[in-house]
Amino acid sequence: MEVEQVLHMNGGVGKTSYANNSLLQRAVISTVKPIVDASIEELCCTLFPECLKIADLGCSSGPNTLLVVSDIIDNIRNTFQKLNRPPPSLQAFLNDLPRNDFNTVFRSLPGFYKKLDEEPEKKLGPCFIAGMPGSFYGRLFPENSLHFVHSSYALMWISEVPKGLVTKEGEGLNKGNIYIAKTSPPAVFKQYLEQFKRDFTVFLRSRAEELVPGGSMVLTTMGSIKSDDPLCIWEFVGMKVNDMVLEGLIEEEKLDRFNMPYYAPTTKEIEEVIEAEGSFILQKLEVFKNDWDSYVKQANSGLDKKTRAAIFATDIRAVGEPILASQFGEAPMDDLFRRFEADVLDHMERENCQFINLVISLTKKR
Amino acid sequence: MEVEQVLHMNGGVGKTSYANNSLLQRAVISTVKPIVDASIEELCCTLFPECLKIADLGCSSGPNTLLVVSDIIDNIRNTFQKLNRPPPSLQAFLNDLPRNDFNTVFRSLPGFYKKLDEEPEKKLGPCFIAGMPGSFYGRLFPENSLHFVHSSYALMWISEVPKGLVTKEGEGLNKGNIYIAKTSPPAVFKQYLEQFKRDFTVFLRSRAEELVPGGSMVLTTMGSIKSDDPLCIWEFVGMKVNDMVLEGLIEEEKLDRFNMPYYAPTTKEIEEVIEAEGSFILQKLEVFKNDWDSYVKQANSGLDKKTRAAIFATDIRAVGEPILASQFGEAPMDDLFRRFEADVLDHMERENCQFINLVISLTKKR
């Protein structure tokens, strides 16, 4: 499996599209906003760029994509008003893998610019939004060409499934699961951790080359409290796939050989990689915990459990469907997410499952 | 009609896609290559950029999109080899209107990068290809941020249909035609020329702000020898639409109110606008003439007239269908291009129709 070829959120604007099912990601962006704000303000007050150059890595396709840019525009305007200086122009690069649905994002830009023009209090210097397709596990931009990098809910997607999860004989090490789970042998956890360390190191090194000295990053990713027991949503999806294997609806071998290209690190693992790579000062590392469905409750108060489970199931489907379908085919997807929907909230309550969100604020050493 | 919303080449990679029907544009790019080469070489020898920043305006979607970037990469490599200096990195922005099919372009990038990596003699510094959706009749990039701008077969698309072609009473001035034609009243030509002058001035002013001093541009556009009698392919398409109106297949009113957002200027008109705008030195202005189907003959020698007409019809359809269908609907398109195919080469021979290509090489004043 070439992760670059199969990993993307559901495109378009239909019922199961990521664009219409990304409430969770939206809630996270708003939780992290104060940290982004502080970072941008600090940046503006130290670097005073004529044109502020920013990148959003793993931008995906949907209303959240431009939400981040929009928040940052508000922020720059406020900061420069306080400083009593004319605001800079802005060049924003939206990055995701080449199979992301950039067309949908680009088609919403004329409306976005129009809205900016219509709100004179939002007036900034000219604002230029470009798309930059490619993997952030490697260089994306020229040297010293960015002031700020943002990434939300993207870094937990690693560059490849650890090679050591399948033996030379082609046997799967992580049978019956699609991610680190309670029934996974310890070697599975180790392989994932090593892959994460390699990937995150490359990520930091690439950004260190691209950012100007003093430039900064705010990264939000899913994490764990204990790495070898992450109580992850993909563990639960794996259980449902396993049920379908037991009923003969999915081939056992397909499950045994499949693992998600995903890793939810702990704060300690994050800190160790940053320290070892050496280009950045860690300004802040915060943990936010939420019940799996709390963002649904927040967005629509008073929904019963069944309705919340349905929304949650569509959201996870919008994220996971392309990669799951690449292994198991399109056909079992409806059934799989019906099963997911039926049990997910009971499972969450029983196991105290929570999303662990890590927010990492970094400055490039001068 | 909002040109920005309806003007784009046929997307995807299917039978009537622009990607599979852009031989003409390919032939033009190869004719113009020596002029691009000279311009890039001059640029490299005077500016020695660490990262060469280029933009291709009106890149469209298909094999030609990356052909231009690929040619420029070859060129930079050769030039820096001659100079015995390490080559710069390259940041290339592919620009087109937001409805262009950027997804298809972006999905071809991994293969493009892989090919670059596999040809060590093609080794350059890192190469970063971004997409920049938006109209080039306005700013697209930060000030002083580009070294070179290329545009091929895009500038003849003006920003809007001249407003004066429809009277206040809603009556069409250019009845029976969709572009300046032998049967158009002189006012039609005047309205088009004025629109072209406004647009091309805005284009030059925007690029002057974006290019570094000494930066350069090579622009290829369709032109005319005599503006009020351009013997244009759209005049011929208009005749076929008119035939369908006479047979009751298209409403007369729809034809009377429709005009192409297109203008093919003369060299004199181009020179006058460049002179009046004042930011650029005109290095070169060349005219290439070709029979309408000569690019088809060149690409596939020995094809009979019928086969050439079929290829030519599909090519023009790939370009014109989205905008024609926005006025006349999808339904008459098959019939329209069948009629086009049947008569086009006879018409060409009778009227001595040729494509007039203008190539304009410019340097920003220092």
Side-chain angles (χ1 to χ4, degrees), chain A residues 35 219 221 266-272 274 282-288 357-362:
Chain A
I35 298 172
L219 314 172
T221 184
T266 64
T267 54
K268 190 159 160 278
E269 290 159 7
I270 291 274
E271 281 166 343
E272 280 175 5
I274 292 169
L282 178 60
Q283 304 287 3
K284 213 171 239 182
L285 175 46
E286 295 196 5
V287 180
F288 296 100
N357 300 304
L358 308 185
V359 188
I360 311 151
S361 173
L362 299 158

Side-chain angles (χ1 to χ4, degrees), chain A residues 36-37 46 86 109 139 157 177 181 185 202 209 256 258 298 309 311 326 363-364:
Chain A
V36 174
D37 282 354
T46 53
L109 281 175
R139 284 283 300 280
W157 297 102
N177 300 307
V202 170
E209 289 171 3
D256 288 352
F258 179 75
Q298 268 169 33
I311 296 175
S326 77
T363 309
K364 185 181 157 188

Side-chain angles (χ1 to χ4, degrees), chain A residues 9-51:
Chain A
M9 307 296 102
N10 267 345
V13 290
K15 221 182 99 193
T16 62
S17 68
Y18 178 82
N20 280 331
N21 299 283
S22 41
L23 260 183
L24 168 58
Q25 294 78 357
R26 191 175 192 87
V28 167
I29 288 168
S30 93
T31 310
V32 176
K33 194 173 179 298
I35 298 172
V36 174
D37 282 354
S39 182
I40 293 269
E41 197 170 331
E42 169 71 22
L43 197 79
C44 292
C45 296
T46 53
L47 301 182
F48 299 112
E50 265 181 54
C51 174

Side-chain angles (χ1 to χ4, degrees), chain B residues 66-112:
Chain B
L66 292 172
L67 178 65
V68 176
V69 177
S70 176
D71 280 353
I72 291 176
I73 289 174
D74 285 352
N75 196 307
I76 298 169
R77 195 194 61 241
N78 293 338
T79 307
F80 278 80
Q81 244 165 22
K82 272 190 250 167
L83 292 171
N84 206 12
R85 282 183 173 237
S89 60
L90 179 74
Q91 189 174 36
F93 291 91
L94 304 175
N95 155 265
D96 212 310
L97 289 172
R99 297 209 155 254
N100 182 50
D101 184 1
F102 281 96
N103 282 352
T104 299
V105 180
F106 287 177
R107 281 162 198 190
S108 70
L109 281 175
F112 181 80

Side-chain angles (χ1 to χ4, degrees), chain B residues 140-152:
Chain B
L140 291 166
F141 304 100
E143 257 175 68
N144 282 312
S145 67
L146 293 177
H147 299 99
F148 181 69
V149 167
H150 176 267
S151 179
S152 186

Side-chain angles (χ1 to χ4, degrees), chain A residues 232-251:
Chain A
C232 176
I233 192 74
W234 303 115
E235 176 176 12
F236 180 72
V237 174
M239 289 174 185
K240 298 294 122 187
V241 177
N242 199 45
D243 290 349
M244 291 175 74
V245 168
L246 295 177
E247 292 175 35
L249 299 168
I250 287 177
E251 281 171 62

Side-chain angles (χ1 to χ4, degrees), chain B residues 108-297:
Chain B
S108 70
L109 281 175
F112 181 80
Y113 288 129
K114 204 167 159 228
K115 234 181 114 196
L116 279 187
D117 277 345
E118 280 168 359
E119 300 178 37
E121 77 285 1
K122 288 214 175 181
K123 205 66 198 167
L124 204 69
C127 167
F128 311 107
I129 302 175
M132 181 60 219
S135 167
F136 50 56
Y137 295 119
R139 283 284 299 280
L140 291 166
F141 304 100
E143 257 175 68
N144 282 312
S145 67
L146 293 177
H147 299 99
F148 181 69
V149 167
H150 176 267
S151 179
S152 186
Y153 264 37
L155 263 170
M156 63 265 198
W157 297 103
I158 52 184
S159 73
E160 56 178 336
V161 176
K163 290 199 178 68
L165 293 183
V166 176
T167 64
K168 273 185 196 161
E169 292 72 36
E171 211 177 332
L173 215 64
N174 196 22
K175 287 187 180 183
N177 299 308
I178 64 170
Y179 183 56
I180 305 167
K182 279 172 250 10
T183 56
S184 303
V188 168
F189 156 65
K190 250 187 80 181
Q191 291 289 340
Y192 263 112
L193 177 60
E194 288 309 312
Q195 185 64 43
F196 167 75
K197 282 184 180 170
R198 276 192 296 274
D199 280 341
F200 191 44
T201 303
V202 170
F203 179 89
L204 292 174
R205 190 145 303 156
S206 304
R207 301 300 85 74
E209 290 171 3
E210 293 161 358
L211 279 163
V212 300
S216 60
M217 298 208 273
V218 175
L219 314 172
T220 309
T221 185
M222 284 195 157
S224 306
I225 301 300
K226 254 187 84 199
S227 260
D228 52 351
D229 181 17
L231 279 174
C232 176
I233 192 74
W234 303 116
E235 175 175 12
F236 180 72
V237 175
M239 289 174 185
K240 298 294 123 185
V241 177
N242 199 45
D243 289 348
M244 291 175 75
V245 167
L246 295 178
E247 292 174 34
L249 299 168
I250 287 177
E251 280 171 61
E252 184 171 7
E253 211 192 9
K254 279 198 176 160
L255 170 57
D256 288 351
R257 294 225 188 133
F258 178 75
N259 292 285
M260 295 291 278
Y262 181 98
Y263 187 75
T266 65
T267 53
K268 189 158 162 279
E269 288 160 7
I270 290 274
E271 282 167 343
E272 280 174 5
V273 177
I274 293 169
E275 175 77 16
E277 195 279 328
S279 307
F280 290 91
I281 301 161
L282 178 60
Q283 304 286 3
K284 213 170 240 182
L285 177 44
E286 296 195 5
V287 181
F288 296 100
K289 291 196 233 177
N290 295 101
D291 286 349
W292 280 355
D293 75 336
S294 60
Y295 75 96
V296 181
K297 279 188 205 161

